Amino acid sequence: MEKKKLSLPTQILIALILGVVVGLICSATGQADFTANYLKPFGTIFINLLKFIVVPVVLLSMIDGIVSMGDMKKIGSVGWKTIAYFLCTTAIACIIGLVFANIFNGAGLFPTLALEEGAEWTGNTSAKFMDTLVGIFPSNMWESFRTANMLQVIVIALLIGGSILAAGEKAGPAKTLLSSLYSVVENLMTFVIKLSPIGVFTMMAWVVATQGASIIGDLALVLLCAYIAYILHAVLVYSLSVKVFAGHSPIDFFKKASPAMIFAFTSTSSAATLPVSKESASSLGADEDIAAFVLPLGATVNMDGTAIYQCVATVFLATCCGIQLSLGQMVTIVITATLASIGTAGVSGAGMIMLAMVLTAMGIPVDMIMIIYGVDRLFDMGRTCLNVTGDIACSLCVTRWEKIKEGKA
Ligand code: ASP
């Protein structure tokens, strides 16, 4: 008899339930130490692998993104309008995410956990602006990689990506080499993601055993916060932009975009949803050529849902460590989450890996990710749905702007 393999989401769900059950049993029987001594180490191995891939993933995916944006020079005005739309909506998404995270946090709905030694926050709260600015620029590339200084890694990616574009044809082999390395790293990332059930089970059991059942309610609240922000962003930003810029009825927009939205929600991959989003965009009247350009680019760099998730998760995890973020740190979150969402691949779970980058940039221990990792799929469904909706809305707006430019609208 042929064995049927369980899909990854099913494996993660089973791991999550088992982890909660084992955690509750250990908590009730006073065996929390067992989870800390024998289960958590496997979760730590998983986290180490995540930390290990985060620098190459960020570096190569950002260079790849910049190089692909460079081709847009050829496409001229469509390219710049698309980038402007993507950047503005992503920045708004970050702000909406932060506002809701702060409302929830201010209302005392996010918990401060009793952390064990080694998980305390060691980041710098009061760095002066000029010091931060100077610190972003690396003096030694390898040192930035070694210490996983994410802001420096981003600057390195921007500089290398920009230089590749400036070098033109001569940079052909470098482009090919980097994109080939990126494929290797993508496969590595897929491998690490496949190990997630082990990470989810062991860490969930440990978190529930040491924090008690109340952590489940806390996770439900942070999910609720993210979904409120997702929905508000869709209703506010996409409805308004399609209405104002594309002259389209928002109700009709959501109706016709719904096949892609549902597909994205269930597949949790913007890239896999591309064929369906193309269908939806064309049924909404987007220009075929514009959609053929905007949608694949959007599936690679435009991730409003991911940006919201990263902001909400960062505030939540900061609170878990007992840190209250300052306004200046919120601005840093907006910048890093916008860049992180650009660097996020349009595949399932990629936003969580980029969250590691935002946390590192904020000086929050990456290990904190394990608290929400078990329910990441639930976040991912909503954020992918939003990511894809944003791409379709953009294709409509750019179609209309181009028509106006050509005097056809
Ligand atoms: N799954 C998301 C997407 O494909 C990316 C993410 O994990 O945030 O759009």
Side-chain angles (χ1 to χ4, degrees), residues 15-89:
L16 173 71
I17 297 170
L18 279 181
V20 172
V21 172
V22 170
L24 287 175
I25 294 173
C26 289
S27 157
T29 54
Q31 294 297 321
D33 280 356
F34 169 79
T35 58
N37 294 335
Y38 298 103
L39 295 182
K40 188 176 171 247
F42 292 99
T44 308
I45 294 176
F46 177 70
I47 293 279
N48 285 349
L49 287 175
L50 274 184
K51 287 185 189 164
F52 150 71
I53 57 167
V54 74
V55 169
V57 167
V58 171
L59 182 77
L60 295 167
S61 66
M62 292 211 82
I63 296 180
D64 198 63
I66 293 159
V67 171
S68 60
M69 281 198 195
D71 294 339
M72 287 192 306
K73 272 194 211 139
K74 291 186 209 134
I75 306 172
S77 75
V78 172
W80 289 115
K81 283 174 189 134
T82 308
I83 289 196
Y85 185 93
F86 284 170
L87 281 180
C88 290
T89 52

Side-chain angles (χ1 to χ4, degrees), residues 268-271 299 303 306 309 344-352 376 380 383-384 387:
T268 61
S269 167
S270 303
M303 310 268 170
T306 304
Y309 155 77
T344 304
V347 295
S348 192
M352 205 268 320
D376 185 66
D380 202 359
R383 64 184 191 242
T384 311
N387 293 346

Side-chain angles (χ1 to χ4, degrees), residues 230 233-234 238 304-305 308 381-391:
Y230 292 158
H233 186 73
Y238 301 147
D304 295 356
I308 290 181
M381 293 164 92
R383 64 184 191 242
T384 311
C385 175
L386 200 65
N387 293 346
V388 165
T389 316
D391 300 339

Side-chain angles (χ1 to χ4, degrees), residues 73 124 143 153 179 200 211 221 225 238 249 266 282 313 318 328 339 341 352 363 397 405:
K73 272 194 211 139
N124 191 355
E143 189 60 16
V153 173
S179 93
V200 168
Q211 304 298 331
L221 279 173
C225 176
Y238 301 147
S249 135
T266 45
S282 90
L339 291 169
S341 70
M352 205 268 320
C397 295
K405 193 179 121 202

Side-chain angles (χ1 to χ4, degrees), residues 5 39 45 135 166 201 218 243 259 283-284 316 356 359 361:
K5 219 173 157 267
L39 295 182
I45 294 176
F201 167 70
D218 297 328
K243 179 86 197 139
S283 74
L284 279 158
F316 174 73
L359 295 182

